Amino acid sequence: MSNFNKFLKHKAAKDKNASLHASISVLLKDLKIQLYNYYVHYELSSKLNVYDSMFESDRIENFPNVFLEIEDFLSLQPDAHFNKSLFREEIIQEYPLLKEDAQIHTLFISDNNTQKVMLSKLFLKDVLLKSKDILGDSNTDFLLKAEELLINLPFSFETVTQQKAASILKELFEYSNLIQKKIQKSLGINAMLSIYNNAYNKYFNNFYLLENFTIIVNLVPDQLLITDNVNLPSKGQLHRLLKSQISSLEDINSKLSKEILQKSQIQKELEDNEKLYAAVIHNSLDANVIFNVDGIIIRSNKKAAEFINAHENEINFYKLLPKAFSENLKAIIDKFSQNTTSSLEQEFFEFEVFENGETIYYNLKVNPIYINNSMLFFCVIRDISKDIRNMIRIEEARIIAEKSAKAKTTFLSNMSHEIRTPLNVILGLSELFNNKDFSGSDTEYENIEAIRFSTENLLMIVNDILDFSKIEAGKLNVQKVDFNFTELISNLHKGFKIKAEEKGLDFAMNITSSIPKYIVGDQYRLSQILNNLIGNAIKFTKKGFININIEAETLRNKTIQLYFTIEDSGVGISKENLDNIFESFYQSHHSEKKPEGTGLGLSITKELVSLLGGELTVESKQNEGTTFHFDLNYKISNLSEVEMQSTQNINHNLRHKRILVAEDNKLNQLFIKQLLKKWDAETTIVENGQQAVDVVKAQDFDLILMDIQMPVLDGLEATSAIRALEKEKKDIPIVACSADVFPESRQKAEEAGVNYYITKPINAKSINEILYLLTTSN
């Protein structure tokens, strides 16, 4: 063994367990040391310097080229006595990690047949990889199959016989031809040549000094090897010829292949888009027409063809349209095409055509398009007859609905007036008989109370119907006034406790002490909610208890949240009926008694709770009882106890006050006259609005109670006439008294000039509050 080989053996032993890269580094370092014994020419020296500056992966890939250059240089030295086969065999034995890389391992195969097979396999594998890089995810099925076939021929480094090697090389040659054809069919010949060119150039650079490299030439397309004067080149000719030609075409061919692929894909996308666009336009339900500046039709779809055929195949677009509309449209388009206007005057045009006894409505839109420096116009014509007719029907339905709603409101207003007027008298007169002042017998007093109670029930039914109507119309208003919460709950407790005890029920009302006495909100709506829920609890409970719990939670900004629970031990509600109890006109049926009421109570109650900002929920089990929950937020009142109580003593402030009452109903006159007499007020009564105006002109008054619906002049007309009088007359406070509970009536009254609006039936408490506000404001 030569000294150099001994030196190699010693160094390799030290680094036997190093990585592949480390082994290459050590090997090349040792080879460079040997090169110091000789004069190294510039080309090899430069190549080694470039190699040292490469990244690790690039150094591994380019190792065969550098190694073969060094080997070739050493073999040419006259005193080296160099044997390449022995040299390679000793290196691979001393540096076994070099076998980890297939290309490097192939370099050191001593058997020529095996080396040829491995070079061919590696080359074809590289061709397949480069093909897939260009194709991406498209059309790679044949490449995957070819790669599978290649893999099935194992990359064995074992020695093969010459006959076996010939068989494998033949098979690889057939694979290469198949791959060439498939790539050429998919990408074209230039792309195929570029792929093989790139792969060949790589292997040429690395292995051209290897004796068996020329085997790869058998796998390369003929087009890359044929020239005018040269047959199949030898190794030296390949070095001089192919290296200069193929390397110069590498970048160009690679770019060209990618451009060809991109252009073919773009072309295919354009063709597909054109087909899709043509299909959409052709089958559109709108008529589509393209015409030039002279109006000549260039192209149209199927719907437009029907339109054109109906006009005896007219080819001038403007002649398809009504004359006046056509002339106007043509003038607009001509101005645009002559650049006298920057855009079409309007986006859409509409025209009508009378056909077969009916009017057809069309919508037309025109857009300019530019093709080969020529201006064309794309027009869409749509039949909008159904839309127009639907709009007409909707408008007619709206008018009918408005008339119906107005008629309904008028009816309810009149009904309210007619029903509330006698109720006003009955309730008012019965209120005048309180137990303290009544001089008749107990039986007579009980009869009066029965009349009052029945009237109040009738009034509740009327209120339910009116509230339901206002809820439907979205016209139910919420008031925010200071009221005595404690007094409201106390009155409810007194009234319902008597009713509960009459049925033998235990009645309890528990209130958290932290609830303030005076709060701000809608007292009437809260009373209505509790009346409905507690009344139902008593109605549907035969034995047991009724419990009402009211708890409170103080919030920010002087706000309090009240939690109400109404619990009973009544008949309960079945599971299948529980979801329906809040529906309008729904009545729960029980076998023991017939349904009662209007079926609106709970529906209205839920809407009222929602209107006040809360939520009403229910829990119930049949024959066990029912529990309702709701919560509401209220502001804490700023009024003092003295201010709140003063409204109860207003009758002491009306002594000798001059009050004019404009009321056409005799019974209402009787009630109001007795009520004001009780408060020692001086009362003047007139029967219509005209009399009211005349009396005001002649006399002075401190207050006017004005009915709205009266003969000659109604209350609003009389109010407007009074407000038109001289200053001292026109500023008299006027309180409108009406049975009409709808918001529109209240608004009209305020616009006419009334100061306050109260609804019938009038009670002493409501008049007390109004009179207090009027007297304290003076």
Side-chain angles (χ1 to χ4, degrees):
M1 181 181 293
S2 65
N3 291 333
F4 177 68
N5 288 335
K6 289 180 181 178
F7 175 77
L8 288 177
K9 184 175 182 180
H10 173 71
K11 294 297 295 179
K14 290 175 60 180
D15 300 279
K16 193 170 183 179
N17 297 320
S19 66
L20 172 63
H21 180 260
S23 295
I24 291 174
S25 298
V26 172
L27 173 59
L28 287 177
K29 182 178 180 182
D30 294 338
L31 291 174
K32 287 179 184 178
I33 292 174
Q34 295 305 308
L35 292 176
Y36 294 156
N37 298 323
Y38 307 98
Y39 173 75
V40 180
H41 56 77
Y42 176 77
E43 183 177 355
L44 178 58
S45 177
S46 299
K47 185 169 289 188
L48 290 173
N49 291 333
V50 171
Y51 182 83
D52 289 339
S53 65
M54 291 181 181
F55 291 111
E56 181 178 320
S57 59
D58 293 332
R59 295 179 69 185
I60 292 174
E61 183 178 346
N62 287 275
F63 173 76
N65 172 260
V66 173
F67 176 80
L68 290 172
E69 289 279 359
I70 294 173
E71 181 189 69
D72 187 64
F73 175 82
L74 293 174
S75 68
L76 295 175
Q77 302 309 312
D79 59 342
H81 307 292
F82 196 82
N83 185 312
K84 290 185 179 181
S85 297
L86 184 61
F87 179 71
R88 294 175 190 170
E89 183 178 345
E90 290 177 347
I91 287 179
I92 199 66
Q93 288 177 358
E94 302 305 324
Y95 292 86
L97 292 178
L98 295 177
K99 295 180 181 180
E100 291 183 0
D101 184 89
Q103 287 192 83
I104 296 175
H105 191 181
T106 300
L107 192 66
F108 295 97
I109 295 175
S110 58
D111 181 76
N112 287 334
N113 293 324
T114 305
Q115 192 176 61
K116 290 178 182 179
V117 170
M118 293 307 301
L119 276 173
S120 300
K121 285 184 177 182
L122 291 171
F123 174 77
L124 284 183
K125 183 181 179 182
D126 202 72
V127 168
L128 290 174
L129 291 174
K130 290 184 180 296
S131 300
K132 286 198 289 186
D133 286 342
I134 294 177
L135 283 170
D137 294 330
S138 63
N139 201 20
T140 59
D141 289 346
F142 77 92
L143 294 177
L144 294 173
K145 291 178 181 178
E147 188 177 20
E148 184 178 356
L149 289 172
L150 193 61
I151 291 172
N152 288 336
L153 291 173
F155 281 71
S156 174
F157 292 90
E158 296 178 3
T159 302
V160 295
T161 63
Q162 185 174 359
Q163 184 178 359
K164 180 66 174 176
S167 175
I168 296 174
L169 290 172
K170 181 181 178 182
E171 196 170 0
L172 291 174
F173 176 77
E174 292 173 353
Y175 288 168
S176 180
N177 287 338
L178 177 62
I179 293 169
Q180 292 175 33
K181 291 176 182 178
K182 292 293 186 179
I183 297 175
Q184 183 172 339
K185 183 177 179 181
S186 298
L187 302 177
I189 189 170
N190 288 336
M192 182 272 290
L193 293 176
S194 176
I195 291 170
Y196 270 82
N197 173 31
N198 292 340
Y200 181 82
N201 199 40
K202 171 186 172 182
Y203 278 78
F204 180 88
N205 287 333
N206 277 341
F207 295 100
Y208 75 95
L209 291 174
L210 192 65
E211 298 79 15
N212 293 316
F213 170 72
T214 53
I215 193 66
I216 293 178
V217 176
N218 295 327
L219 304 176
V220 174
D222 294 338
Q223 295 92 324
L224 289 179
L225 303 175
I226 295 174
T227 63
D228 292 339
N229 300 313
V230 181
N231 294 320
L232 292 177
S234 65
K235 183 177 70 174
Q237 290 170 324
L238 284 172
H239 186 201
R240 292 189 300 273
L241 180 62
L242 292 180
K243 189 174 181 179
S244 61
Q245 292 183 356
I246 296 177
S247 62
S248 64
L249 293 173
E250 179 181 354
D251 291 338
I252 296 174
N253 286 340
S254 178
K255 292 179 181 178
L256 182 60
S257 298
K258 290 182 180 179
E259 288 180 3
I260 291 172
L261 177 61
Q262 290 174 352
K263 287 182 179 179
S264 64
Q265 290 175 339
I266 292 171
Q267 182 64 30
K268 189 175 184 305
E269 289 177 2
L270 289 174
E271 291 174 358
D272 291 342
N273 288 337
E274 176 63 23
K275 290 178 182 178
L276 178 62
Y277 174 76
V280 171
I281 294 297
H282 184 68
N283 295 292
S284 173
L285 296 178
D286 300 327
N288 288 240
V289 178
I290 297 176
F291 60 93
N292 63 17
V293 292
D294 298 320
I296 303 302
I297 296 175
I298 307 298
R299 188 173 179 180
S300 62
N301 68 346
K302 183 168 64 175
K303 190 69 176 178
E306 296 174 6
F307 200 76
I308 294 169
N309 293 337
H311 292 77
E312 300 179 354
N313 297 319
E314 177 62 57
I315 62 171
N316 189 299
F317 172 72
Y318 295 116
K319 292 184 179 180
L320 302 176
L321 307 174
K323 185 177 180 181
F325 174 79
S326 174
E327 291 174 352
N328 180 51
L329 180 64
K330 186 176 186 305
I332 293 172
I333 292 177
D334 287 346
K335 286 181 180 179
F336 177 80
S337 60
Q338 295 165 10
N339 295 322
T340 56
T341 57
S342 59
S343 62
L344 295 175
E345 289 184 3
Q346 60 192 80
E347 190 173 355
F348 292 98
F349 303 88
E350 293 184 1
F351 64 93
E352 304 172 5
V353 176
F354 190 76
E355 294 178 357
N356 301 322
E358 64 175 349
T359 302
I360 309 297
Y361 301 90
Y362 290 99
N363 179 296
L364 182 148
K365 179 174 174 58
V366 179
N367 281 324
I369 56 177
Y370 301 91
I371 299 177
N372 296 328
N373 296 323
S374 295
M375 180 186 293
L376 300 176
F377 294 93
F378 179 71
C379 175
V380 178
I381 303 174
R382 174 173 297 177
D383 186 340
I384 58 171
S385 301
K386 288 184 180 179
D387 296 336
I388 296 296
R389 293 190 183 100
N390 286 337
M391 289 173 59
I392 293 172
R393 282 194 288 268
I394 291 171
E395 180 62 20
E396 290 173 348
R398 185 188 64 79
I399 294 172
I400 292 172
E402 286 181 351
K403 289 181 178 179
S404 176
K406 186 175 181 181
K408 179 181 177 182
T409 301
T410 302
F411 166 75
L412 288 173
S413 177
N414 291 335
M415 185 198 73
S416 171
H417 183 271
E418 295 302 324
I419 295 177
R420 283 170 172 265
T421 296
L423 289 179
N424 179 47
V425 177
I426 297 171
L427 283 176
L429 290 175
S430 62
E431 259 188 13
L432 294 176
F433 295 97
N434 58 53
N435 196 19
K436 182 173 62 178
D437 298 332
F438 187 69
S439 59
S441 66
D442 291 342
T443 302
E444 289 173 337
Y445 182 75
E446 289 176 0
N447 291 339
I448 292 173
E449 282 296 296
I451 292 172
R452 184 180 64 80
F453 180 78
S454 299
T455 306
E456 286 178 345
N457 282 339
L458 179 59
L459 181 61
M460 286 179 64
I461 294 173
V462 173
N463 287 340
D464 279 351
I465 295 172
L466 293 172
D467 284 343
F468 177 73
S469 177
K470 287 190 284 185
I471 288 171
E472 273 193 328
K475 296 177 179 178
L476 192 66
N477 292 330
V478 175
Q479 297 179 342
K480 289 188 178 181
V481 296
D482 298 89
F483 71 94
N484 190 330
F485 177 78
T486 304
E487 181 183 47
L488 182 148
I489 298 301
S490 176
N491 290 338
L492 287 172
H493 180 263
K494 290 176 184 177
F496 282 113
K497 185 176 179 62
I498 295 172
K499 293 180 181 180
E501 289 175 347
E502 288 174 353
K503 295 186 67 174
L505 303 175
D506 292 330
F507 185 85
M509 185 173 283
N510 305 308
I511 308 175
T512 301
S513 59
S514 61
I515 300 176
K517 186 174 184 179
Y518 300 110
I519 58 177
V520 180
D522 196 319
Q523 175 182 2
Y524 172 73
R525 297 303 175 192
L526 177 58
S527 176
Q528 190 176 359
I529 292 168
L530 292 172
N531 268 295
N532 280 340
L533 295 176
I534 300 173
N536 277 352
I538 294 175
K539 182 192 298 183
F540 294 110
T541 303
K542 292 182 61 178
K543 60 181 180 178
F545 63 88
I546 309 292
N547 289 333
I548 291 90
N549 293 309
I550 307 174
E551 298 179 352
E553 179 184 357
T554 303
L555 306 177
R556 297 178 180 178
N557 302 322
K558 295 193 71 176
T559 301
I560 189 169
Q561 187 166 20
L562 302 182
Y563 300 92
F564 298 84
T565 302
I566 296 89
E567 180 184 10
D568 66 61
S569 59
V571 295
I573 306 167
S574 64
K575 187 176 182 180
E576 57 269 20
N577 291 330
L578 197 59
D579 293 335
N580 302 322
I581 62 168
F582 293 123
E583 293 181 4
S584 303
F585 306 109
Y586 177 80
Q587 293 176 306
S588 180
H589 291 260
H590 304 281
S591 58
E592 299 178 1
K593 58 190 297 186
K594 66 178 183 179
E596 298 181 3
T598 61
L600 293 174
L602 285 178
S603 173
I604 291 172
T605 300
K606 185 173 180 63
E607 292 293 338
L608 289 176
V609 172
S610 178
L611 190 67
L612 296 176
E615 181 181 9
L616 178 63
T617 59
V618 61
E619 301 169 6
S620 184
K621 288 186 178 180
Q622 198 163 13
N623 300 321
E624 292 186 18
T626 303
T627 304
F628 286 91
H629 305 273
F630 68 95
D631 59 285
L632 297 173
N633 285 6
Y634 289 96
K635 288 285 187 180
I636 298 174
S637 174
N638 292 321
L639 293 180
S640 65
E641 180 77 20
V642 175
E643 290 173 315
M644 293 298 294
Q645 288 295 331
S646 62
T647 62
Q648 306 301 319
N649 302 318
I650 183 64
N651 44 339
H652 298 296
N653 298 324
L654 289 179
R655 186 180 299 276
H656 305 309
K657 292 289 184 180
R658 295 164 297 178
I659 301 177
L660 171 63
V661 178
E663 170 64 63
D664 63 323
N665 186 279
K666 297 293 184 182
L667 293 176
N668 279 340
Q669 291 178 7
L670 174 63
F671 159 62
I672 295 174
K673 185 175 182 179
Q674 290 189 41
L675 179 63
L676 295 177
K677 182 179 179 181
K678 188 177 179 180
W679 293 338
D680 296 329
E682 298 178 5
T683 305
T684 301
I685 297 178
V686 295
E687 296 185 351
N688 60 62
Q690 185 60 59
Q691 291 178 2
V693 175
D694 295 339
V695 171
V696 169
K697 289 180 180 178
Q699 301 178 35
D700 295 327
F701 292 96
D702 299 304
L703 177 67
I704 300 174
L705 299 180
M706 183 76 73
D707 185 26
I708 297 299
Q709 295 187 8
M710 293 186 295
V712 188
L713 284 183
D714 64 28
L716 300 186
E717 292 171 332
T719 299
S720 298
I722 292 171
R723 293 304 183 214
L725 299 176
E726 62 271 15
K727 181 172 177 54
E728 60 271 14
K729 300 286 186 180
K730 71 178 183 180
D731 291 335
I732 301 172
I734 300 176
V735 178
C737 305
S738 175
D740 193 338
V741 297
F742 286 90
E744 298 93 329
S745 300
R746 181 184 297 271
Q747 183 178 351
K748 289 179 181 178
E750 292 173 352
E751 290 172 354
V754 301
N755 299 90
Y756 294 95
Y757 186 98
I758 58 176
T759 57
K760 298 177 181 179
I762 300 170
N763 56 53
K765 184 178 180 181
S766 62
I767 292 181
N768 259 340
E769 292 174 353
I770 295 295
L771 294 177
Y772 169 75
L773 292 172
L774 289 172
T775 54
T776 54
S777 62
N778 293 332

